[in-house]
Amino acid sequence: MIRRVAGALLASMLLAPAALAASAGKWNSGEVNGFTRYWTTNSSGASFVVWCHPERKVNGTLFHILIDGKTPAPNTRIKLVLDKEILELPVNNQGYIDTGCATCSDSFGYIWHRMRAAHSMAVKFYDQRYAGFSLKGAPEILPGPVCPTDWQKKQPNS
């Protein structure tokens, strides 16, 4: 009996954030512990998540990508393909693509706008894992203003 109650409570906690989420096409958004999360999942279960926290200065704005249930290997690079344009992005020591340096911040802003305008997106990890993602609904879910990057939050008067 206790397991059923605990299971029901856990299920309601997990489903509550989903109930508050917005969806358009293949993209979703929702609030989780002060973060705004923008995400899509493909038919193979791979996910591409953008985490945005307006005030958190470390790992407050980043890309979190899972292919075959795993993030990219730390301290490698990924290839992000938006339409026919290929961008190489560094992976931090936690397996995320963060925005803590000036170049990372600029790349994030550029990618944000490209995700709103492009038609297709794919990610390839250093170990050759690959996933394609739909951008259907991304312009409606990703707002015009870009999330503040970690690098911008560290800079006075920027």
Side-chain angles (χ1 to χ4, degrees):
M1 177 69 173
I2 293 174
R3 286 186 182 171
R4 282 190 216 163
V5 172
L9 180 61
L10 180 60
S12 69
M13 289 171 52
L14 292 174
L15 293 175
L20 300 174
S23 296
K26 300 287 185 177
W27 280 80
N28 307 282
S29 69
E31 300 293 321
V32 178
N33 296 329
F35 285 86
T36 301
R37 176 177 69 151
Y38 305 97
W39 79 95
T40 188
T41 303
N42 70 11
S43 60
S44 301
S47 63
F48 189 99
V49 183
V50 181
W51 291 97
C52 299
H53 193 293
E55 296 159 8
R56 190 170 177 189
K57 294 183 192 297
V58 177
N59 287 342
T61 303
L62 53 85
F63 295 124
H64 178 199
I65 305 164
L66 292 174
I67 300 175
D68 296 333
K70 298 178 186 172
T71 59
N75 303 312
T76 59
R77 298 180 80 72
I78 67 159
K79 290 185 180 182
L80 178 66
V81 183
L82 292 158
D83 289 342
K84 294 182 181 182
E85 183 177 9
I86 300 172
L87 302 161
E88 286 201 26
L89 303 171
V91 178
N92 70 14
N93 61 1
Q94 298 168 325
Y96 303 115
I97 294 81
D98 68 30
T99 62
C101 70
T103 303
C104 306
S105 177
D106 289 346
S107 295
F108 178 81
Y110 179 74
I111 292 165
W112 181 274
H113 291 298
R114 290 291 298 132
M115 286 179 8
R116 289 176 42 81
H119 299 286
S120 64
M121 179 172 74
V123 177
K124 185 175 183 182
F125 290 173
Y126 182 77
D127 64 5
Q128 305 305 312
R129 282 181 285 152
Y130 175 88
F133 298 95
S134 172
L135 290 172
K136 183 179 179 184
E140 291 82 22
I141 291 296
L142 299 173
V146 179
C147 296
T149 66
D150 292 355
W151 183 82
Q152 291 167 328
K153 290 181 243 177
K154 293 176 188 175
Q155 306 306 308
N157 302 320
S158 61

